C-alpha cells in the first residue's frame, strides 16, 4: 500500500488563476484533469488571484493570493501605498502558512518566468518568490510545470524570477527557448525538460476539411500595448495594433467573409468594442467565450484563425485550423514553428494590415496541406504531454516515499 492510499496527498495549485485570463485557467484545468485521473485521492486547493471563480468553476477550495485586495490597482494616495506595503509583509506569513499545509504545490503552466507583457517586480514575481522560498524552507515540493520564461531586462524582476526558479523542486518548460533563457539567467537547467504547453492536454474538437465557398474567420484580439520595456511607447504601439486590426477586419467583411472576434482575457473587451464601433457590418460579431473549450468550439467552425494571445493560438492549432499568429513575443514564433506554421507569423508590435492580408491569403491557399501538418504535430504533442505527466508523478508522488507527508529529507 502506498502512502497515497493511506493518507490523501495535500496538493496546492498556485497562480493568477480565476482572474479573467482564459489561458491561465486552461492550464489549471489541465493539471486538475491529470490529478483527478492519476491521483484521485489527492486533496487539492488553490492560492490564486480569483478564489471565488476558481471555487465555483472547478469545485476546489481557494484562497486569495494577496491580503490587500487592491493589489493590482495603481496606488497613488498615501493610504493606498501604505496598505499595499503592509500587504507585502502580511503575504510573507500568509504564503508560508498556506505552503506549510501542503505536501506538493504545482504552478500550472503560464508565463510565470517571463515579462513579455508589462509587469512590476513587486507584483506576481514577488508572490512567486515567496512561494518557492517557503517551499524550500518548509520542505514542501514546489513544481513549475511546463512554464514559460524569457530574458528579463529589469534587474529586480530578473533577480526574483531567477531565485524562484532556483528554489523550486521541479521545473519543466513549454519551449526550448524558455529553458535557454533560465540558463542564461544563471539557473542550472541540466535536469530540466521541455514539454508542450499544458493547454494541449485539454479535450477539444477537431476541425474537418471545409467545403464550399470561403467561410468564417476567427480573429483573436488582445489589449496589446507592447512589452515590459515598451512603457514609454505603449499608446503608440497599441494604436498601431488596433488600427491595423480594424483595417484587416474591415477588408474581410467587405469581401463577404463572416468575422468572429475572440478574446483571451477580460481586458480585451475594450479592443472588441473599438473594432465593432469602427467596422459597421453585420458580418462582424463577437463571441463571449469563458474558457478555452469555448474558444475551441468557435475556432473549429472557422476556415482560418488569426490570433494574438498565446493560448488563442494553442486552441486554434489544437483544433487543426490553419492559423496566422499576430506575434507579440518570441514564444508565439517558437510555437508556430514547432507546429509547422513558422512562416505564418506577423509582428503585433509592427502591425502592417497590407502585409497581414498577404500572409492571410497565402495561408488560405495552403489550407489543406497545413491541416494535415497540424494533425501530425498534434499527435506528437499528445505523446509528449503523456511523458510530462509521467515525469511529474515520478518527481512529486514517488511510490517509494515512506512518509505520508511526501516532504523532502532534511
Amino acid at each position: 500500500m502506498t502512502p497515497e492510499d493511506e493518507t490523501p496527498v495535500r496538493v496546492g495549485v498556485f497562480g493568477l488563476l480565476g482572474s479573467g485570463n482564459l489561458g491561465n485557467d486552461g492550464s489549471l484545468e489541465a493539471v486538475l484533469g491529470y490529478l483527478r485521473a492519476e491521483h484521485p485521492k489527492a486533496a487539492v486547493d488553490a492560492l490564486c488571484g480569483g478564489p471565488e471563480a476558481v471555487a465555483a468553476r472547478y469545485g476546489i477550495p481557494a484562497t486569495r493570493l494577496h491580503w490587500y485586495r487592491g493589489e493590482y490597482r495603481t496606488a497613488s494616495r498615501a493610504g493606498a501605498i501604505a496598505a499595499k506595503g503592509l500587504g507585502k509583509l502580511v503575504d510573507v506569513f500568509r504564503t508560508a502558512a498556506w505552503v506549510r499545509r501542503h505536501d506538493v504545490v504545482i504552478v500550472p503552466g503560464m508565463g510565470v518566468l517571463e515579462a513579455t507583457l508589462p509587469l512590476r517586480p513587486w507584483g506576481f514575481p514577488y508572490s512567486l518568490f515567496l512561494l518557492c522560498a517557503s517551499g524550500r524552507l518548509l520542505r514542501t515540493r514546489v513544481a513549475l510545470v511546463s512554464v514559460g520564461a524569457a530574458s528579463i531586462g529589469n534587474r529586480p524582476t530578473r533577480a526574483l524570477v531567477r531565485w524562484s526558479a532556483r528554489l523550486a523542486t521541479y521545473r519543466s518548460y513549454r519551449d526550448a527557448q524558455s529553458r535557454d533563457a533560465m540558463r542564461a539567467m544563471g539557473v542550472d537547467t541540466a535536469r530540466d525538460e521541455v514539454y508542450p504547453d499544458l493547454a494541449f492536454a485539454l479535450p477539444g474538437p477537431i476541425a474537418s476539411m471545409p467545403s464550399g465557398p470561403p467561410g468564417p474567420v476567427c480573429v483573436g484580439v488582445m489589449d496589446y500595448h507592447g512589452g515590459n520595456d515598451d512603457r514609454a511607447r505603449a499608446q503608440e504601439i497599441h494604436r498601431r495594433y488596433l488600427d491595423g486590426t480594424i483595417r484587416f477586419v474591415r477588408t474581410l467583411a467587405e469581401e463577404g467573409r463572416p468575422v468572429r472576434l475572440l478574446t483571451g482575457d477580460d481586458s480585451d473587451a475594450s479592443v472588441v468594442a473599438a473594432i465593432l464601433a469602427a467596422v459597421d457590418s453585420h458580418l462582424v460579431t463577437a463571441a463571449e467565450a469563458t474558457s478555452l473549450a469555448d474558444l475551441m468550439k468557435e475556432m473549429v467552425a472557422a476556415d482560418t484563425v488569426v490570433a494574438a494571445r498565446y493560448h488563442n493560438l494553442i486552441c486554434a492549432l489544437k483544433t487543426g485550423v490553419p492559423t496566422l499568429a499576430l506575434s507579440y513575443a518570441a514564444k508565439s514564433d517558437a510555437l508556430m514553428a514547432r507546429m509547422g506554421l513558422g512562416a505564418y507569423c506577423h509582428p503585433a508590435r509592427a502591425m502592417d494590415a497590407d502585409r497581414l492580408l498577404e500572409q492571410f491569403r497565402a495561408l488560405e491557399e495552403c489550407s489543406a496541406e497545413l491541416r494535415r501538418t497540424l494533425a501530425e504535430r498534434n499527435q506528437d504533442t499528445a505523446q509528449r504531454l503523456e511523458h510530462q505527466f509521467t515525469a511529474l508523478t515520478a518527481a512529486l508522488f514517488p511510490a517509494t516515499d515512506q512518509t505520508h507527508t511526501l516532504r523532502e529529507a532534511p
Side-chain angles (χ1 to χ4, degrees):
M1 180 176 290
T2 68
E4 189 172 350
D5 292 327
E6 296 174 357
T7 304
V9 179
R10 300 163 296 177
V11 180
V13 289
F14 176 95
L16 293 178
L17 311 166
S19 300
N21 184 284
L22 302 187
N24 291 359
D25 290 353
S27 298
L28 169 62
E29 187 176 344
V31 164
L32 291 178
Y34 150 73
L35 290 172
R36 287 165 179 162
E38 301 298 328
H39 308 282
K41 295 185 179 181
V44 183
D45 72 305
L47 184 63
C48 58
E52 297 85 1
V54 167
R57 170 165 289 188
Y58 302 109
I60 60 174
T63 303
R64 187 173 298 280
L65 181 59
H66 302 289
W67 174 80
Y68 179 56
R69 289 177 176 265
E71 172 64 30
Y72 294 106
R73 294 195 298 266
T74 301
S76 55
R77 289 188 284 186
I81 294 172
K84 183 172 283 192
L86 176 62
K88 297 302 177 187
L89 178 60
V90 173
D91 285 344
V92 173
F93 301 98
R94 288 180 73 252
T95 302
W98 182 81
V99 169
R100 191 183 191 93
R101 298 198 297 268
H102 297 83
D103 305 309
V104 171
V105 174
I106 296 174
V107 180
M110 307 178 286
V112 297
L113 302 178
E114 63 182 48
T116 52
L117 296 175
L119 183 70
R120 299 294 190 188
W122 54 83
F124 187 77
Y126 175 76
S127 299
L128 183 65
F129 171 74
L130 292 183
L131 170 77
C132 296
S134 297
R136 179 59 64 92
L137 289 171
L138 299 170
R139 298 173 185 166
T140 296
R141 297 176 181 179
V142 174
L144 309 181
V145 182
S146 195
V147 298
S151 58
I152 298 173
N154 180 274
R155 293 182 64 182
T157 302
R158 185 170 65 247
L160 288 169
V161 164
R162 179 173 63 246
W163 277 105
S164 296
R166 285 176 172 173
L167 293 169
T169 307
Y170 174 90
R171 296 179 300 268
S172 65
Y173 306 97
R174 63 189 180 192
D175 50 48
Q177 66 188 32
S178 292
R179 182 172 60 184
D180 293 344
M182 295 313 299
R183 182 184 300 120
M185 281 193 273
V187 176
D188 181 1
T189 62
R191 296 191 299 171
D192 298 352
E193 296 292 339
V194 173
Y195 299 102
D197 190 276
L198 291 171
F200 277 109
L202 296 173
I206 302 299
S208 58
M209 191 72 71
S211 59
V217 179
C218 282
V219 177
V221 303
M222 180 178 181
D223 186 26
Y224 179 63
H225 292 78
N228 206 46
D229 298 328
D230 295 321
R231 293 178 183 272
R233 299 178 54 236
Q235 288 307 312
E236 174 192 341
I237 291 172
H238 178 70
R239 189 73 251 171
R240 179 169 181 171
Y241 163 77
L242 181 58
D243 289 347
T245 303
I246 289 171
R247 185 178 169 193
F248 176 74
V249 170
R250 181 183 290 122
T251 300
L252 293 181
E254 289 173 348
E255 294 176 354
R257 301 291 293 272
V259 177
R260 192 72 161 154
L261 302 178
L262 307 177
T263 61
D265 191 279
D266 289 348
S267 64
D268 301 334
S270 61
V271 178
V272 170
I275 295 171
L276 291 175
V279 183
D280 183 16
S281 173
H282 70 279
L283 292 173
V284 182
T285 58
E288 295 184 1
T290 60
S291 67
L292 295 189
D294 289 345
L295 286 179
M296 285 189 273
K297 288 177 184 177
E298 295 283 348
M299 292 171 172
V300 78
D303 279 5
T304 310
V305 174
V306 179
R309 283 199 178 273
Y310 184 75
H311 282 94
N312 282 26
L313 292 175
I314 287 177
C315 287
L317 297 168
K318 179 175 170 57
T319 58
V321 178
T323 303
L324 199 162
L326 280 172
S327 176
Y328 68 88
K331 62 185 179 183
S332 299
D333 297 335
L335 171 65
M336 294 291 284
R338 191 165 64 249
M339 297 301 288
L341 278 76
Y344 302 103
C345 296
H346 187 91
R349 179 181 278 99
M351 174 69 127
D352 181 332
D354 290 332
R355 174 58 181 152
L356 183 63
L357 283 162
E358 289 177 9
Q359 291 178 287
F360 173 79
R361 302 194 200 290
L363 176 73
E364 294 213 313
E365 287 178 3
C366 299
S367 176
E369 177 184 349
L370 293 174
R371 286 173 183 269
R372 289 191 290 270
T373 297
L374 286 173
E376 296 171 358
R377 300 298 171 94
N378 276 314
Q379 287 182 346
D380 177 67
T381 295
Q383 293 174 355
R384 291 170 61 204
L385 275 171
E386 290 181 6
H387 295 321
Q388 162 69 100
F389 291 131
T390 299
L392 193 60
T393 291
L396 300 184
F397 305 93
T400 56
D401 197 320
Q402 298 301 307
T403 65
H404 82 277
T405 59
L406 290 178
R407 294 185 186 277
E408 295 176 306

